[in-house]
Every structure is written in C-alpha cells, then in structure tokens.
Amino acid sequence: FEAVDVIVSSEASGRILSFDAAEGMSVSRGEMLGVVDSVQLHLQRRQLKAQQAALLSSRPDIQKQVTSLREQIAKQRSEQTRVENMLRDGAATTKQLDDIQAQIRILEGQLTAMLSTLNSNSATIESNVEALEAQIALLDDRIEKCRIVSPIDGTVLLKYVEAGELATPGKPLMKIADLNNIYLRAYFTSDQLADIALGDTVTVTADFGGDELIDYTGRIAWISAESEFTPKSIQTKDSRANLVYAVKIYVENDGRIKIGHYGKVTL
C-alpha cells in the first residue's frame, strides 16, 4: 500500500523560530506548524510605510495653492466690468481696459502653468506611492511565507528540521500524506487486464501478517499504459508472465492500513 505524499519545503530564508510538527501527528489544511524569522522583513515594511506617509504628506493641496491667483483673476474681472461701464460713460480710457485685460491674461497664464506643475507633481507622488504599495504587498507576501503551514489534511510522516536551524527557500521541512485515502499498487498480466476497467470496484485484501487478513472495497483509479517486468516482490499465479501492468486501486482507510503493508486484489 502507498499514499500520495507532499514534501513541504521552506518558502523563506531565515532561522526557524518554532516548528511544532511531530512525526505521526495529524494536521489540517492551512494549520500553522512553525514560523521562520521575519524581523528584517517587518522592519523593511515599516520603512516603506514611513516613506509612503512622507510622500502622502508632501502631496500638494492644489485648490489651496491656486486660491490666491483665482481671487486675483476674479478681482481683475470685476475691475474689467467696472472699467467697461465707465468707458461707455466716457469716464475711462481704452488703455485702462486694455491694461486690465492684459493683466487678466497674465494671471490666467500663471494659473494654467501652476495647475500643470501641481498636477504633474501630484501624479508623480501618486506613482511613487503606488510603487511603494506594490513593494509593501511584496513584503506582506514574503512575511506570509514565513509561516510554515500544512497544504493538506494528513499525517506527518517525516520531519527533516528542528527549531533553531536555518531555513532556505526550497529546503524540505517535512513530509505529509493523507492516510485516509490510500491506494494499493497491484500488477496484472495482460490476460487479467481484460477483466478490469477504470472505475471498477474490486475486493482488496490487506495482509497484516500471520492469518490476519481484512477485506476492503477498492476502486480502480489508474491503469498503466505500458507494461513492465514483474517486480521481484510480486507473485502471480502465472509464473510464466514476465510482463505486467501496474494498477492503482484506491481504498478508504479505516486507520489500520499502513504504508508498506502488502495486499492482494480479487476480481
């Protein structure tokens, strides 16, 4: 009997601060079993957050900075209206009106230039803030990967490291397998292969040693497309059969079947 196992490797670099996994321990998907040191990552994150706050505080308040120019333009427009009325009554000259209109054009040009500069500065700051936000998100992901979690529901088969050791990306930490769903790798001759198909239900007998044999219901989940030589540990009724086909038969484990137990299939 075999089981599908998963080797959990480190995704972070640093000293393992805690690692509570133990061989034979049942674990759940997403359960945190240990932590890799992430102090440096947290400090980098604080630094980036401080830079982001400084940028946001330096963002210009466009409305406040152009208020003075807008007020001057409004005042000149009011003065223009007054001079136009006086000009109709002959109490002002055309030059006075031209001077006011020229002043308005200058002020409007200054307003346009200031708005362009302020908007450009604001856009640059926003871009820098977004870049820092992306760096912070990257650090958050690296910090999250400092947590050692189980990717599946299963049982810890092997533990490769202990707390206090140094972890590096890709370094194996533990091996986990789902022992509730286990499978028997059986071998069939070409004659026997004609009697089975994917999804068929068969009887699987687990051999616990001595006369202790227990029958389970199995389901054929995979049939090899290529033949291979009979493994030395496999016995077939037809001793002349040198070539066999591997077949995986899944069995719902009641807790008694262990990896490495022998079994046989009855069609």
Side-chain angles (χ1 to χ4, degrees):
F1 286 93
E2 302 176 8
V4 177
D5 55 59
V6 176
I7 295 179
V8 181
S9 299
S10 174
E11 296 183 88
S13 179
R15 192 164 302 282
I16 300 173
L17 300 181
S18 65
F19 192 33
D20 300 328
E23 294 179 1
M25 173 182 174
S26 295
V27 294
S28 302
R29 180 187 180 93
E31 180 181 352
M32 188 171 74
L33 302 173
V35 177
V36 177
D37 185 11
S38 60
V39 172
Q40 294 297 321
L41 296 178
H42 279 287
L43 292 176
Q44 290 178 34
R45 188 182 191 280
R46 286 179 58 183
Q47 183 182 25
L48 290 177
K49 291 294 287 185
Q51 292 178 14
Q52 189 180 56
L55 278 174
L56 289 173
S57 65
S58 67
R59 185 168 50 188
D61 188 335
I62 297 176
Q63 294 304 318
K64 283 186 178 181
Q65 295 199 33
V66 300
T67 297
S68 177
L69 274 176
R70 291 187 189 279
E71 290 177 352
Q72 291 181 52
I73 292 172
K75 182 178 180 181
Q76 290 297 323
R77 289 190 186 282
S78 177
E79 184 67 15
Q80 179 184 8
T81 302
R82 188 180 69 81
V83 171
E84 287 175 345
N85 292 332
M86 292 175 64
L87 185 62
R88 283 194 294 269
D89 296 336
T93 65
T94 304
K95 183 179 183 307
Q96 289 177 298
L97 180 60
D98 291 342
D99 290 344
I100 292 174
Q101 290 175 340
Q103 185 64 28
I104 290 174
R105 286 193 296 271
I106 291 172
L107 291 173
E108 287 179 338
Q110 292 176 356
L111 177 62
T112 300
M114 181 176 286
L115 284 172
S116 176
T117 300
L118 291 174
N119 285 328
S120 177
N121 291 342
S122 182
T124 300
I125 291 173
E126 288 295 336
S127 297
N128 291 334
V129 168
E130 289 181 6
L132 287 175
E133 193 66 40
Q135 293 181 50
I136 292 171
L138 179 63
L139 279 176
D140 286 340
D141 180 65
R142 291 178 62 189
I143 291 172
E144 178 66 22
K145 288 177 178 177
C146 288
R147 300 169 67 250
I148 303 172
V149 300
S150 171
I152 62 170
D153 295 330
T155 302
V156 178
L157 300 182
L158 292 172
K159 181 179 178 181
Y160 300 117
V161 298
E162 297 290 343
E165 294 185 30
L166 189 64
T168 55
K171 181 177 182 177
L173 303 176
M174 59 183 171
K175 181 189 288 188
I176 301 175
D178 181 7
L179 299 183
N180 291 325
N181 294 296
I182 205 164
Y183 65 89
L184 176 70
R185 182 183 293 272
Y187 294 87
F188 293 81
T189 64
S190 57
D191 293 339
Q192 294 170 327
L193 203 63
D195 297 328
I196 62 174
L198 290 176
D200 282 358
T201 299
V202 295
T203 300
V204 175
T205 303
D207 186 350
F208 294 96
D211 296 329
E212 189 178 0
L213 303 174
I214 299 178
D215 290 339
Y216 295 89
T217 300
R219 177 180 56 84
I220 296 176
W222 174 80
I223 300 174
S224 174
E226 297 181 356
S227 61
E228 57 186 275
F229 286 102
T230 307
K232 292 181 179 180
S233 61
I234 305 301
Q235 297 179 357
T236 62
K237 291 183 178 179
D238 187 356
S239 60
R240 294 173 298 173
N242 290 323
L243 293 177
V244 292
Y245 293 82
V247 176
K248 285 185 179 180
I249 303 169
Y250 278 92
V251 176
E252 186 174 340
N253 192 6
D254 57 4
R256 287 182 289 187
I257 303 176
K258 307 299 180 184
I259 296 174
H261 274 159
Y262 284 92
K264 66 177 181 178
V265 183
T266 304
L267 301 179

